Amino acid sequence: MRRFLIGCLLLLTLVAACAPGGAPRAPDGTLLRKIQDRGKMIAGVKFDQPTFGYRNPQTQQLEGFDVAVAHEVAAYLFGDASKVEFKEAQSKDRIPFLKDGTVDVVLATMTINDERLKDVDFSVVYYVAGQRLLVSKGSSITGIADTGGKKVGTVRSSTSATNLAKFAGVEIVLFDAYADAVKALAANQVDAVSTDDTILYGFVYQNPELQVVGAQFSYEPYGASVQKNQPALLNAVNTVVKNLKTSGKWQTIWKNEIGDKLRILTIPNPPADDWHKQVLAR
């Protein structure tokens, strides 16, 4: 009986030390412990990017690759994928929202780079895209070489704007959201829109009068971003991303959120974890 009671006490201690979903109970004072005590995670995602972060106007539900990954993190932390509150995080909001605590995690087609690593920490790579151009069908623009003297829309505080500035003669027009840039394209206020091709394909899905043209002219490894110096939370997110890539669930999410919607039959393999290696391999 004594051994039985000792065993029960050990089991209760183990249970108490773990979050409901299996993530270890974080130390007091950490952001992860705050999230666990709150009982939900707050995730910053895009609301206007079909296939990655998008509020479906018919169902009013958020869907997309980034949204699905956020649900997986919640499932790991709480044992319940619904324990996540979504907040719209446009490109310009992503880092400020993390710094001021508006959100706990950002999953919003955010490219990892050295400049951003000064302000936030990133998970291992969960997706890799490349920048291209979105134009109306019949446009004379077939690639980045055709954009000299043309107005090209993109979003403030994005790597897309930085990349466009490298090409002489491009007149960059900045918007708060990619959906606004696409509306300007439809109204002939800009000649093209440029960002990561996966995002652009989502707009083609919505409007078949548009098309993606040209070869990729950048390499965009996406990571989930969190506040600096929060290793417990970062480790939890990394655990989820790595498990998705090794279990085959990454491919399932890709098929459901991207492949089926864009009618792409070939499912890619998940990217390697290290973003530096991704760029060097280009």
Side-chain angles (χ1 to χ4, degrees):
M1 176 62 72
R2 185 170 180 271
R3 288 182 179 178
F4 174 76
L5 291 174
I6 291 173
C8 289
L9 287 172
L10 289 173
L11 180 60
L12 289 172
T13 300
L14 180 62
V15 170
C18 295
R25 178 67 68 180
D28 289 339
T30 63
L31 178 55
L32 180 55
R33 181 59 177 267
K34 178 181 177 181
I35 295 168
Q36 290 171 332
D37 290 345
R38 185 199 301 141
K40 67 178 179 181
M41 179 182 75
I42 304 173
V45 300
K46 299 290 182 67
F47 281 21
D48 64 344
Q49 293 181 1
T51 71
F52 270 82
Y54 177 61
R55 186 180 292 282
N56 188 314
Q58 295 180 330
T59 65
Q60 293 302 308
Q61 298 297 308
L62 285 171
E63 55 188 47
F65 197 99
D66 285 341
V67 173
V69 175
H71 280 299
E72 293 294 330
V73 176
Y76 175 70
L77 294 180
F78 305 109
D80 185 343
S82 70
K83 297 292 185 179
V84 54
E85 175 185 331
F86 290 104
K87 182 169 182 65
E88 183 175 17
Q90 297 178 354
S91 294
K92 63 182 177 64
D93 299 322
R94 294 176 299 194
I95 290 176
F97 278 1
L98 286 171
K99 285 186 168 183
D100 67 16
T102 298
V103 301
D104 304 315
V105 178
V106 166
L107 281 151
T109 60
M110 193 170 181
T111 299
I112 308 170
N113 59 42
D114 285 318
E115 188 64 27
R116 286 174 174 167
L117 281 165
K118 296 175 184 177
D119 293 311
V120 298
D121 286 330
F122 280 96
S123 71
V124 298
V125 178
Y126 70 87
Y127 199 91
V128 173
Q131 191 168 344
R132 295 173 69 186
L133 296 167
L134 180 72
V135 299
S136 299
K137 286 186 175 178
S139 171
S140 62
I141 297 174
T142 60
I144 191 64
D146 299 325
T147 56
K150 303 291 187 181
K151 293 182 179 180
V152 180
T154 192
V155 166
R156 293 180 178 87
S157 303
S158 67
T159 54
S160 300
T162 302
N163 292 334
L164 282 174
K166 299 173 184 177
F167 296 92
V170 178
E171 184 179 345
I172 302 171
V173 183
L174 297 175
F175 297 87
D176 287 331
Y178 289 111
D180 295 334
V182 174
K183 289 178 183 177
L185 176 62
N188 296 316
Q189 296 170 349
V190 296
D191 302 296
V193 172
S194 185
T195 187
D196 304 345
D197 48 11
T198 47
I199 299 171
L200 298 180
Y201 279 126
F203 289 112
V204 173
Y205 172 73
Q206 289 182 304
N207 187 346
E209 295 304 311
L210 303 176
Q211 61 180 348
V212 177
V213 298
Q216 290 183 346
F217 55 90
S218 74
Y219 202 51
E220 312 295 337
Y222 293 166
S225 55
V226 300
Q227 280 185 10
K228 296 289 287 185
N229 303 315
Q230 294 293 339
L233 177 58
L234 185 61
N235 288 339
V237 176
N238 277 335
T239 295
V240 173
V241 174
K242 291 179 179 181
N243 285 344
L244 289 177
K245 293 198 286 188
T246 57
S247 68
K249 196 161 188 178
W250 187 96
Q251 288 92 331
T252 300
I253 294 173
W254 190 94
K255 181 179 183 299
N256 291 341
E257 301 297 341
I258 301 174
D260 288 351
K261 292 175 181 177
L262 301 181
R263 297 180 176 86
I264 300 174
L265 299 179
T266 302
I267 300 175
N269 292 320
D273 290 343
D274 189 328
W275 75 276
H276 287 97
K277 290 180 180 179
Q278 295 283 342
V279 174
L280 290 173
R282 183 65 171 170

